[in-house]
Amino acid sequence: KDVDSNFWETYKKVSNEYDDDFLARANDDMGIILTFAGLFSAVNSTFIIGMQPNPGDTINALLLYLIQIVADGPNAAHDVSGLSSSTGYSSSMIWMQTLSYASLAFSVLAAFGAVLGKQW
């Protein structure tokens, strides 16, 4: 064999070792990213659920309204101003929910990227 063929054989062997090592490290990194993104999404979802208004308050207000209708009769005038569809969030609560939903979206996007990276 000549010098050129020995060079290319050595180059192929070294480059295959380097590529295999690089792919193994990248695959491990994607697995770690996928794990942490999944855990962060679960914890973030728990906080988002905790920030939601209590549906029991709305149900209680509606039940009280129905009881008043039944007690007063259907022809009586009923005040519906207390039945507002808005919850009256403060601006800080809106910012907290916006950041929570944005972080959840980026976490899911990171998990999606990790899955694509592992499948590639």
Side-chain angles (χ1 to χ4, degrees):
K1 291 185 173 184
D2 61 348
V3 176
D4 285 339
S5 64
N6 283 336
F7 171 77
W8 289 113
E9 284 178 24
T10 306
Y11 173 77
K12 183 175 181 179
K13 184 178 114 182
V14 170
S15 65
N16 282 340
E17 288 174 3
Y18 176 79
D19 289 344
D20 291 342
D21 182 49
F22 177 77
L23 289 176
R25 281 185 289 129
N27 192 20
D28 291 343
D29 290 345
M30 290 298 140
I32 291 169
I33 289 171
L34 187 59
T35 302
F36 281 117
L39 288 173
F40 181 76
S41 294
V43 170
N44 198 6
S45 297
T46 303
F47 283 120
I48 288 173
I49 289 170
M51 285 190 285
Q52 300 302 316
N54 187 4
D57 295 340
T58 304
I59 292 171
N60 289 339
L62 290 173
L63 286 174
L64 182 61
Y65 182 68
L66 288 174
I67 290 170
Q68 287 176 349
I69 289 175
V70 170
D72 295 341
N75 296 330
H78 299 283
D79 182 27
V80 293
S81 62
L83 296 175
S84 175
S85 62
S86 68
T87 56
Y89 287 125
S90 65
S91 63
S92 63
M93 181 61 87
I94 291 173
W95 272 106
M96 283 183 5
Q97 284 193 352
T98 301
L99 292 175
S100 296
Y101 279 110
S103 64
L104 179 63
F106 285 126
S107 176
V108 170
L109 185 64
F112 178 68
V115 168
L116 287 180
K118 284 183 78 69
Q119 290 180 353
W120 184 38

mmCIF file of all heavy atoms in Angstrom, residues 33-34 36-42 44-45 48 100-116:
data_model
loop_
_atom_site.group_PDB
_atom_site.id
_atom_site.type_symbol
_atom_site.label_atom_id
_atom_site.label_comp_id
_atom_site.label_asym_id
_atom_site.label_seq_id
_atom_site.Cartn_x
_atom_site.Cartn_y
_atom_site.Cartn_z
ATOM 1 N N ILE A 33 -31.828 16.707 28.407
ATOM 2 C CA ILE A 33 -32.696 17.853 28.118
ATOM 3 C C ILE A 33 -34.156 17.420 28.106
ATOM 4 O O ILE A 33 -35.026 18.113 28.647
ATOM 5 C CB ILE A 33 -32.301 18.506 26.776
ATOM 6 C CG1 ILE A 33 -30.968 19.218 26.919
ATOM 7 C CG2 ILE A 33 -33.375 19.473 26.296
ATOM 8 C CD1 ILE A 33 -30.398 19.710 25.611
ATOM 9 N N LEU A 34 -34.429 16.281 27.526
ATOM 10 C CA LEU A 34 -35.797 15.775 27.470
ATOM 11 C C LEU A 34 -36.341 15.491 28.869
ATOM 12 O O LEU A 34 -37.484 15.830 29.184
ATOM 13 C CB LEU A 34 -35.833 14.510 26.615
ATOM 14 C CG LEU A 34 -37.174 13.910 26.278
ATOM 15 C CD1 LEU A 34 -38.033 14.922 25.539
ATOM 16 C CD2 LEU A 34 -36.994 12.675 25.426
ATOM 17 N N PHE A 36 -35.328 16.883 31.813
ATOM 18 C CA PHE A 36 -35.539 18.120 32.563
ATOM 19 C C PHE A 36 -36.683 18.942 31.991
ATOM 20 O O PHE A 36 -37.423 19.591 32.739
ATOM 21 C CB PHE A 36 -34.254 18.945 32.617
ATOM 22 C CG PHE A 36 -33.284 18.439 33.636
ATOM 23 C CD1 PHE A 36 -32.044 17.967 33.252
ATOM 24 C CD2 PHE A 36 -33.606 18.416 34.976
ATOM 25 C CE1 PHE A 36 -31.145 17.495 34.186
ATOM 26 C CE2 PHE A 36 -32.720 17.939 35.924
ATOM 27 C CZ PHE A 36 -31.480 17.475 35.525
ATOM 28 N N ALA A 37 -36.847 18.938 30.677
ATOM 29 C CA ALA A 37 -37.975 19.677 30.080
ATOM 30 C C ALA A 37 -39.298 19.055 30.508
ATOM 31 O O ALA A 37 -40.262 19.774 30.800
ATOM 32 C CB ALA A 37 -37.850 19.688 28.557
ATOM 33 N N GLY A 38 -39.352 17.738 30.569
ATOM 34 C CA GLY A 38 -40.581 17.076 31.025
ATOM 35 C C GLY A 38 -40.885 17.360 32.484
ATOM 36 O O GLY A 38 -42.028 17.651 32.846
ATOM 37 N N LEU A 39 -39.858 17.331 33.333
ATOM 38 C CA LEU A 39 -40.067 17.632 34.747
ATOM 39 C C LEU A 39 -40.472 19.089 34.951
ATOM 40 O O LEU A 39 -41.374 19.389 35.742
ATOM 41 C CB LEU A 39 -38.793 17.328 35.544
ATOM 42 C CG LEU A 39 -38.456 15.852 35.731
ATOM 43 C CD1 LEU A 39 -37.086 15.696 36.372
ATOM 44 C CD2 LEU A 39 -39.514 15.166 36.558
ATOM 45 N N PHE A 40 -39.818 19.996 34.232
ATOM 46 C CA PHE A 40 -40.152 21.409 34.367
ATOM 47 C C PHE A 40 -41.568 21.671 33.882
ATOM 48 O O PHE A 40 -42.304 22.463 34.486
ATOM 49 C CB PHE A 40 -39.151 22.272 33.588
ATOM 50 C CG PHE A 40 -39.417 23.735 33.715
ATOM 51 C CD1 PHE A 40 -39.090 24.407 34.878
ATOM 52 C CD2 PHE A 40 -40.008 24.429 32.687
ATOM 53 C CE1 PHE A 40 -39.341 25.762 34.998
ATOM 54 C CE2 PHE A 40 -40.265 25.782 32.798
ATOM 55 C CZ PHE A 40 -39.936 26.446 33.963
ATOM 56 N N SER A 41 -41.977 21.015 32.802
ATOM 57 C CA SER A 41 -43.339 21.199 32.300
ATOM 58 C C SER A 41 -44.364 20.713 33.315
ATOM 59 O O SER A 41 -45.409 21.350 33.507
ATOM 60 C CB SER A 41 -43.529 20.435 30.984
ATOM 61 O OG SER A 41 -42.723 20.977 29.975
ATOM 62 N N ALA A 42 -44.084 19.612 33.971
ATOM 63 C CA ALA A 42 -45.021 19.091 34.972
ATOM 64 C C ALA A 42 -45.143 20.043 36.157
ATOM 65 O O ALA A 42 -46.254 20.340 36.615
ATOM 66 C CB ALA A 42 -44.555 17.714 35.440
ATOM 67 N N ASN A 44 -44.381 23.279 36.203
ATOM 68 C CA ASN A 44 -44.967 24.536 35.724
ATOM 69 C C ASN A 44 -46.481 24.400 35.532
ATOM 70 O O ASN A 44 -47.234 25.322 35.856
ATOM 71 C CB ASN A 44 -44.286 24.953 34.423
ATOM 72 C CG ASN A 44 -44.511 26.403 34.104
ATOM 73 O OD1 ASN A 44 -45.075 27.148 34.890
ATOM 74 N ND2 ASN A 44 -44.062 26.805 32.948
ATOM 75 N N SER A 45 -46.919 23.271 35.030
ATOM 76 C CA SER A 45 -48.357 23.043 34.859
ATOM 77 C C SER A 45 -49.075 23.039 36.199
ATOM 78 O O SER A 45 -50.200 23.540 36.321
ATOM 79 C CB SER A 45 -48.612 21.719 34.146
ATOM 80 O OG SER A 45 -48.072 21.744 32.851
ATOM 81 N N ILE A 48 -49.502 26.618 37.207
ATOM 82 C CA ILE A 48 -50.525 27.269 36.383
ATOM 83 C C ILE A 48 -51.920 26.875 36.868
ATOM 84 O O ILE A 48 -52.813 27.711 36.967
ATOM 85 C CB ILE A 48 -50.322 26.924 34.888
ATOM 86 C CG1 ILE A 48 -49.089 27.653 34.358
ATOM 87 C CG2 ILE A 48 -51.547 27.276 34.068
ATOM 88 C CD1 ILE A 48 -48.698 27.267 32.950
ATOM 89 N N SER A 100 -45.767 32.294 33.019
ATOM 90 C CA SER A 100 -45.904 30.858 33.265
ATOM 91 C C SER A 100 -46.273 30.109 31.987
ATOM 92 O O SER A 100 -45.701 29.058 31.686
ATOM 93 C CB SER A 100 -46.963 30.595 34.332
ATOM 94 O OG SER A 100 -46.583 31.138 35.550
ATOM 95 N N TYR A 101 -47.234 30.658 31.234
ATOM 96 C CA TYR A 101 -47.606 30.014 29.976
ATOM 97 C C TYR A 101 -46.484 30.089 28.954
ATOM 98 O O TYR A 101 -46.279 29.148 28.180
ATOM 99 C CB TYR A 101 -48.895 30.636 29.418
ATOM 100 C CG TYR A 101 -50.144 30.099 30.060
ATOM 101 C CD1 TYR A 101 -50.910 30.889 30.914
ATOM 102 C CD2 TYR A 101 -50.567 28.800 29.830
ATOM 103 C CE1 TYR A 101 -52.056 30.402 31.512
ATOM 104 C CE2 TYR A 101 -51.707 28.293 30.419
ATOM 105 C CZ TYR A 101 -52.447 29.111 31.259
ATOM 106 O OH TYR A 101 -53.573 28.609 31.846
ATOM 107 N N ALA A 102 -45.742 31.193 28.928
ATOM 108 C CA ALA A 102 -44.610 31.304 27.999
ATOM 109 C C ALA A 102 -43.527 30.294 28.359
ATOM 110 O O ALA A 102 -42.964 29.623 27.469
ATOM 111 C CB ALA A 102 -44.053 32.718 28.016
ATOM 112 N N SER A 103 -43.225 30.137 29.650
ATOM 113 C CA SER A 103 -42.203 29.167 30.041
ATOM 114 C C SER A 103 -42.660 27.738 29.766
ATOM 115 O O SER A 103 -41.856 26.888 29.383
ATOM 116 C CB SER A 103 -41.832 29.336 31.512
ATOM 117 O OG SER A 103 -42.928 29.051 32.337
ATOM 118 N N LEU A 104 -43.955 27.485 29.912
ATOM 119 C CA LEU A 104 -44.469 26.159 29.573
ATOM 120 C C LEU A 104 -44.338 25.898 28.072
ATOM 121 O O LEU A 104 -43.935 24.811 27.660
ATOM 122 C CB LEU A 104 -45.931 26.030 30.010
ATOM 123 C CG LEU A 104 -46.615 24.698 29.701
ATOM 124 C CD1 LEU A 104 -45.923 23.564 30.440
ATOM 125 C CD2 LEU A 104 -48.080 24.759 30.067
ATOM 126 N N ALA A 105 -44.645 26.903 27.264
ATOM 127 C CA ALA A 105 -44.528 26.749 25.813
ATOM 128 C C ALA A 105 -43.076 26.490 25.412
ATOM 129 O O ALA A 105 -42.792 25.607 24.590
ATOM 130 C CB ALA A 105 -45.072 27.984 25.107
ATOM 131 N N PHE A 106 -42.126 27.231 25.996
ATOM 132 C CA PHE A 106 -40.710 27.021 25.660
ATOM 133 C C PHE A 106 -40.209 25.679 26.171
ATOM 134 O O PHE A 106 -39.368 25.046 25.527
ATOM 135 C CB PHE A 106 -39.853 28.159 26.208
ATOM 136 C CG PHE A 106 -39.984 29.424 25.420
ATOM 137 C CD1 PHE A 106 -40.326 30.603 26.050
ATOM 138 C CD2 PHE A 106 -39.780 29.447 24.057
ATOM 139 C CE1 PHE A 106 -40.454 31.783 25.335
ATOM 140 C CE2 PHE A 106 -39.905 30.612 23.325
ATOM 141 C CZ PHE A 106 -40.241 31.781 23.962
ATOM 142 N N SER A 107 -40.723 25.227 27.294
ATOM 143 C CA SER A 107 -40.332 23.927 27.810
ATOM 144 C C SER A 107 -40.817 22.799 26.891
ATOM 145 O O SER A 107 -40.084 21.855 26.608
ATOM 146 C CB SER A 107 -40.893 23.744 29.219
ATOM 147 O OG SER A 107 -40.609 22.473 29.706
ATOM 148 N N VAL A 108 -42.045 22.934 26.431
ATOM 149 C CA VAL A 108 -42.574 21.926 25.497
ATOM 150 C C VAL A 108 -41.810 21.990 24.174
ATOM 151 O O VAL A 108 -41.520 20.958 23.560
ATOM 152 C CB VAL A 108 -44.096 22.131 25.293
ATOM 153 C CG1 VAL A 108 -44.619 21.279 24.167
ATOM 154 C CG2 VAL A 108 -44.834 21.811 26.584
ATOM 155 N N LEU A 109 -41.443 23.193 23.750
ATOM 156 C CA LEU A 109 -40.653 23.344 22.524
ATOM 157 C C LEU A 109 -39.272 22.708 22.691
ATOM 158 O O LEU A 109 -38.769 22.061 21.763
ATOM 159 C CB LEU A 109 -40.536 24.823 22.165
ATOM 160 C CG LEU A 109 -39.859 25.151 20.852
ATOM 161 C CD1 LEU A 109 -40.671 24.598 19.684
ATOM 162 C CD2 LEU A 109 -39.714 26.659 20.710
ATOM 163 N N ALA A 110 -38.662 22.865 23.862
ATOM 164 C CA ALA A 110 -37.365 22.236 24.113
ATOM 165 C C ALA A 110 -37.486 20.718 24.111
ATOM 166 O O ALA A 110 -36.615 20.018 23.567
ATOM 167 C CB ALA A 110 -36.802 22.718 25.450
ATOM 168 N N ALA A 111 -38.553 20.200 24.697
ATOM 169 C CA ALA A 111 -38.761 18.748 24.685
ATOM 170 C C ALA A 111 -38.981 18.244 23.264
ATOM 171 O O ALA A 111 -38.460 17.191 22.880
ATOM 172 C CB ALA A 111 -39.951 18.382 25.568
ATOM 173 N N PHE A 112 -39.722 19.016 22.473
ATOM 174 C CA PHE A 112 -39.944 18.638 21.074
ATOM 175 C C PHE A 112 -38.625 18.633 20.305
ATOM 176 O O PHE A 112 -38.349 17.714 19.522
ATOM 177 C CB PHE A 112 -40.941 19.613 20.434
ATOM 178 C CG PHE A 112 -41.213 19.347 18.986
ATOM 179 C CD1 PHE A 112 -41.893 18.214 18.590
ATOM 180 C CD2 PHE A 112 -40.791 20.244 18.024
ATOM 181 C CE1 PHE A 112 -42.148 17.961 17.258
ATOM 182 C CE2 PHE A 112 -41.043 20.009 16.682
ATOM 183 C CZ PHE A 112 -41.715 18.861 16.295
ATOM 184 N N GLY A 113 -37.792 19.645 20.540
ATOM 185 C CA GLY A 113 -36.480 19.688 19.887
ATOM 186 C C GLY A 113 -35.600 18.521 20.301
ATOM 187 O O GLY A 113 -34.859 17.969 19.481
ATOM 188 N N ALA A 114 -35.666 18.143 21.586
ATOM 189 C CA ALA A 114 -34.870 17.010 22.053
ATOM 190 C C ALA A 114 -35.338 15.709 21.413
ATOM 191 O O ALA A 114 -34.522 14.857 21.044
ATOM 192 C CB ALA A 114 -34.944 16.915 23.571
ATOM 193 N N VAL A 115 -36.647 15.551 21.258
ATOM 194 C CA VAL A 115 -37.163 14.334 20.601
ATOM 195 C C VAL A 115 -36.710 14.300 19.139
ATOM 196 O O VAL A 115 -36.279 13.263 18.640
ATOM 197 C CB VAL A 115 -38.696 14.278 20.713
ATOM 198 C CG1 VAL A 115 -39.284 13.218 19.801
ATOM 199 C CG2 VAL A 115 -39.115 14.009 22.144
ATOM 200 N N LEU A 116 -36.797 15.440 18.463
ATOM 201 C CA LEU A 116 -36.321 15.483 17.073
ATOM 202 C C LEU A 116 -34.834 15.180 16.993
ATOM 203 O O LEU A 116 -34.368 14.487 16.079
ATOM 204 C CB LEU A 116 -36.631 16.850 16.456
ATOM 205 C CG LEU A 116 -38.078 17.142 16.122
ATOM 206 C CD1 LEU A 116 -38.192 18.535 15.512
ATOM 207 C CD2 LEU A 116 -38.640 16.120 15.164
#
